[in-house]
Amino acid sequence: MQNNWQQLLQFDQKHIWHPYTKIPNPLATIGVQKTAGSIIILADNRELIDAMSSWWACIHGYNHPLIQKAMHKQIETMPHIMFGGLTHQPAIELAQRLIKLTPKGLETVFFSDSGSVAVEVAIKMALQYWISLKQPDKKHLMTIKGGYHGDTFATMALCDPDNGMHHLFNNSLTKHYFAPKPQLGFHIDSDNQDINAFKTLLSKHHQTIAAVCLEPIVQGAGGMRFYRPNYLKQISLLCQEYNVLLIADEIATGFGRTGKLFACEWANITPDILCLGKSLTGGNLTLAATLTTDVISQTISQGEPGLLMHGPTFMANPLACATAIASIDLLLSSPWQQNIQRIETHLQQTLLPLKEESGIKDVRVLGAIGVIELEQDNLGEKVQAYAVENGVWLRPFGNLIYTMPAFNIPQQQLHKLTKGIILAVKKALSEYIEQN
Ligand SMILES: *Cc1c(COP(=O)(O)O)cnc(C)c1O
């Protein structure tokens, strides 16, 4: 590696915070020079196949020429303009697409700049809705354990209380209602114990609950858990029965990842509020959106103070909106369902047999998501290091080794990717077993 890079990495280690690290950062952070498709080219010219899509976002791989073309065009006309009192075609055309594609009934769009903020806006919409209806007692939220909704204070309070940050920030976080985790398994035929527990909690507190907020079908960063569509369907019905709004956080699942364009479609439901982010721009720029119904929008607008009280500086950034339009059009013109099916089949064939290995607690696959859950929760760093040795970029957390590749990853790279992951997991496990 060039001398220059070593100096840059030293500076990085001492001066720049990375996600969930300390300073100086004791972990080796790897320098990247460029990307191409599903390949990440490192500072030392090594090439890694990307298993992560940069945390669900880069669904078309990196540097897609059609998206880059749209970005160049927008840069030349208008990279940014404030959204207060002004509007533009990229925002309008993106909103038209989102209203058309998302479950029927969602008619208005609020653009923001990150997933956490999209959830904050959803919470604000729900609270303002009840304030407008002169029911200010409906000020609490309810969710299910095992969730993840962001790192800001309102969203942190909805994350899983056991593996989230509740303990640390206990004195500063709003307390909400947590139902038990839904039973693990997309395909299972359940006895509905989880639904009964949810119903008990909701029926007891619904008069003070503004909204239920959850991730439909896939709980992502909170534990990579998949649950059955019927659970979601039942919850949607219970929310209607008890007059509580439903916020669906599709920031990770939106735009095809689970095999449906939106995970809500598995249960055939329309939430009252829907959050989108991550892959909205194909991972090229940061943009998020919160959609809601006409009834909620009208109620907020006619209530006190008659305005939705939110408005970020970079709201509906034209460059980000133009990028999102290009990403959505590219997705819809691609054989994305076949691609998800192809990846799902491959992940099932290659990863599911690992279930038999000792040291592995569970292996699960849904759509273009593969998860290997280890029994030990301290092997992630090792697995990551071995995966990199095998030419694969993987970023486990805790005991969860997971992959969500770009939808258009070439089959040959997909084969190398799973092979690299499996070898890395087996090596880390056999070392662990030897030493214990
Ligand atoms: C990533 C994620 C968020 C937070 O998005 P940021 O852009 O990181 O703020 C919220 N909800 C879900 C389900 C996510 O996966």
Side-chain angles (χ1 to χ4, degrees), residues 184-237:
L184 193 62
F186 178 78
H187 294 288
I188 57 160
D189 206 10
S190 173
D191 59 3
N192 285 336
Q193 249 187 34
D194 45 9
I195 288 290
N196 295 338
F198 185 97
K199 183 172 176 177
T200 304
L201 192 63
L202 185 65
S203 63
K204 196 164 161 204
H205 300 288
H206 66 97
Q207 279 157 342
T208 64
I209 294 175
V212 166
C213 179
L214 50 69
E215 296 156 279
I217 306 298
V218 176
Q219 296 185 290
M224 299 300 294
R225 305 174 83 256
F226 312 144
Y227 63 83
R228 64 196 190 285
N230 189 248
Y231 178 84
L232 183 57
K233 181 83 203 167
Q234 296 302 321
I235 285 188
S236 170
L237 292 172

Side-chain angles (χ1 to χ4, degrees), residues 10-201:
Q10 272 169 15
F11 180 91
D12 183 289
Q13 196 172 32
K14 284 199 194 116
H15 297 281
I16 308 180
W17 297 101
H18 284 257
Y20 293 87
T21 53
K22 62 174 157 186
I23 281 189
N25 186 355
L27 301 172
T29 302
I30 303 172
V32 182
Q33 15 164 339
K34 54 184 176 183
T35 49
S38 282
I39 304 288
I40 300 170
I41 298 146
L42 303 183
D44 60 8
N45 295 320
R46 271 183 301 163
E47 293 189 358
L48 303 183
I49 299 171
D50 178 29
M52 303 304 294
S53 296
S54 284
W55 280 329
W56 313 85
C58 299
I59 53 175
H60 313 291
Y62 303 99
N63 310 41
H64 195 286
L66 288 179
I67 296 182
Q68 290 193 329
K69 197 173 148 201
M71 292 176 82
H72 281 298
K73 197 170 158 218
Q74 189 60 41
I75 284 174
E76 278 157 25
T77 39
M78 180 168 60
H80 185 60
I81 186 74
M82 65 186 284
F83 211 52
L86 300 172
T87 194
H88 47 79
Q89 227 170 317
I92 295 165
E93 287 183 10
L94 177 57
Q96 286 170 338
R97 281 168 175 75
L98 295 180
I99 290 165
K100 184 165 165 227
L101 294 173
T102 52
K104 199 169 159 29
L106 299 168
E107 301 287 350
T108 69
V109 185
F110 189 104
F111 289 113
S112 57
D113 28 33
S114 76
S116 300
V117 176
V119 179
E120 296 265 347
V121 170
I123 295 169
K124 215 179 250 188
M125 283 174 173
L127 296 178
Q128 266 200 251
Y129 173 77
W130 292 112
I131 291 169
S132 298
L133 289 178
K134 306 234 176 319
Q135 289 183 254
D137 288 344
K138 284 174 91 75
K139 62 186 177 196
H140 294 289
L141 299 170
M142 182 168 156
T143 185
I144 49 180
K145 286 188 178 178
Y148 177 80
H149 297 283
D151 283 0
T152 56
F153 271 82
T155 60
M156 253 195 305
L158 291 169
C159 294
D160 187 77
D162 304 321
N163 68 25
M165 293 166 278
H166 288 244
H167 183 63
L168 190 58
F169 297 111
N170 211 9
N171 295 328
S172 312
L173 291 181
T174 313
K175 304 241 176 336
H176 297 307
Y177 296 106
F178 284 86
K181 288 178 185 175
Q183 214 184 321
L184 193 62
F186 178 78
H187 294 288
I188 57 160
D189 206 10
S190 173
D191 59 3
N192 285 336
Q193 249 187 34
D194 45 9
I195 288 290
N196 295 338
F198 185 97
K199 183 172 176 177
T200 304
L201 192 63

Side-chain angles (χ1 to χ4, degrees), residues 37-38 58-61 64 330 339 342-343 405-411:
S38 282
C58 299
I59 53 175
H60 313 291
H64 195 286
L330 177 61
N339 268 331
R342 165 181 73 97
I343 294 169
F407 299 172
N408 58 356
I409 184 172
Q411 194 66 7

